[in-house]
Amino acid sequence: MNPPIDGQQIYSGEATPSSSRGQWERIISAIAKDMLEVLPSFYRYLGGDDMQKRLKFFLGGAILLGTAAGIVAVTAPPADRSRDASRIVHSLALPQTAKDKLPLRVSERLPIKIDSALTRLVGEGSHLKYYVVPADNKMCMIPVRGDGGGEFVGCTTLEGFESYGLRIENEERTEQAWLVIPSAADDTLESVKNDDGWTKQAPNLLLRQNSSDKR
């Protein structure tokens, strides 16, 4: 995030407030005089020497308005990342590695259409490996057995993922996996501290295994 910009930095780090004010007044005065020379009839209509004062006031206001607009632009809200899956799984912003590739026999039988180049391995339990993949506007998690067979697919929308994440459990109820925003992983783990078996498997993945089933 960019550091805040104050009024002093907008102009020059060397100028003092008093010297800057005098410089701007001289510039504005010169501009006003030039405008009066090319607009004599308008000058007379507005009342002679008062025109210079009015123009000085007007131009000063315009400069202040431009400064305010610049500050608003600097502090504009960040881009919407609600559909950016890499905020959940950072490795999606990097090239896929060999370990991230979903076994072919699983990808061919999935009930959803995915881009196989976007799968990422996020964790591994006693019985299952957990792959994730963004699909349309969803984040999906695919558990894969040790023999390379697929169990099922769990999905949730990318928008609003922060509110709960994606939590799945296998049919035998021997394992649960909970995909969360990395920055929320520690707080989420704290929220289930009274449930035996939860561990932080990765920066974005919590895993729960039966105590008798852990490696």
Side-chain angles (χ1 to χ4, degrees):
M1 182 181 293
N2 294 329
I5 298 175
D6 57 29
Q8 191 70 16
Q9 290 176 295
I10 289 174
Y11 299 107
S12 169
E14 298 177 357
T16 63
S18 58
S19 62
S20 295
R21 179 179 178 182
Q23 182 180 4
W24 279 111
E25 287 184 347
R26 288 193 294 274
I27 293 172
I28 294 168
S29 179
I31 293 172
K33 288 179 180 178
D34 290 340
M35 293 182 68
L36 291 175
E37 289 176 1
V38 298
L39 297 172
S41 59
F42 192 46
Y43 170 70
R44 288 192 299 272
Y45 173 77
L46 290 177
D49 291 336
D50 288 341
M51 178 63 176
Q52 182 173 334
K53 295 180 181 178
R54 296 181 188 185
L55 282 174
K56 184 184 295 187
F57 175 79
F58 171 76
L59 291 172
I63 291 171
L64 290 175
L65 181 60
T67 300
I71 294 173
V72 170
V74 169
T75 59
D80 180 16
R81 296 189 64 203
S82 61
R83 294 197 176 191
D84 182 1
S86 68
R87 80 185 196 278
I88 306 166
V89 181
H90 295 333
S91 59
L92 284 167
L94 304 172
Q96 186 186 50
T97 64
K99 69 178 180 61
D100 292 322
K101 295 181 179 179
L102 193 67
L104 184 61
R105 61 180 288 193
V106 175
S107 60
E108 289 179 339
R109 301 181 63 179
L110 288 177
I112 60 172
K113 185 178 180 180
I114 66 167
D115 182 345
S116 59
L118 294 180
T119 59
R120 297 291 187 273
L121 178 65
V122 292
E124 182 176 357
S126 297
H127 302 285
L128 302 169
K129 290 183 177 181
Y130 296 93
Y131 294 82
V132 297
V133 61
D136 294 328
N137 66 334
K138 297 179 176 63
M139 174 62 84
C140 299
M141 185 153 48
I142 307 166
V144 176
R145 297 191 305 269
D147 61 4
E151 288 272 321
F152 56 90
V153 178
C155 299
T156 191
T157 58
L158 283 169
E159 296 173 329
F161 191 93
E162 287 83 352
S163 63
Y164 187 76
L166 174 59
R167 183 172 172 177
I168 63 175
E169 183 176 27
N170 67 343
E171 186 176 355
E172 294 79 15
R173 296 193 172 184
T174 56
E175 289 185 14
Q176 287 188 57
W178 197 348
L179 186 68
V180 296
I181 294 289
S183 60
D186 290 335
D187 288 340
T188 305
L189 183 61
E190 178 67 17
S191 72
V192 292
K193 65 182 180 181
N194 295 327
D195 296 338
D196 181 53
W198 283 104
T199 59
K200 186 178 176 181
Q201 175 83 186
N204 55 3
L205 186 73
L206 305 183
L207 191 65
R208 185 184 189 187
Q209 303 175 89
N210 291 339
S211 57
S212 61
D213 216 23
K214 295 179 183 178
R215 290 179 176 176

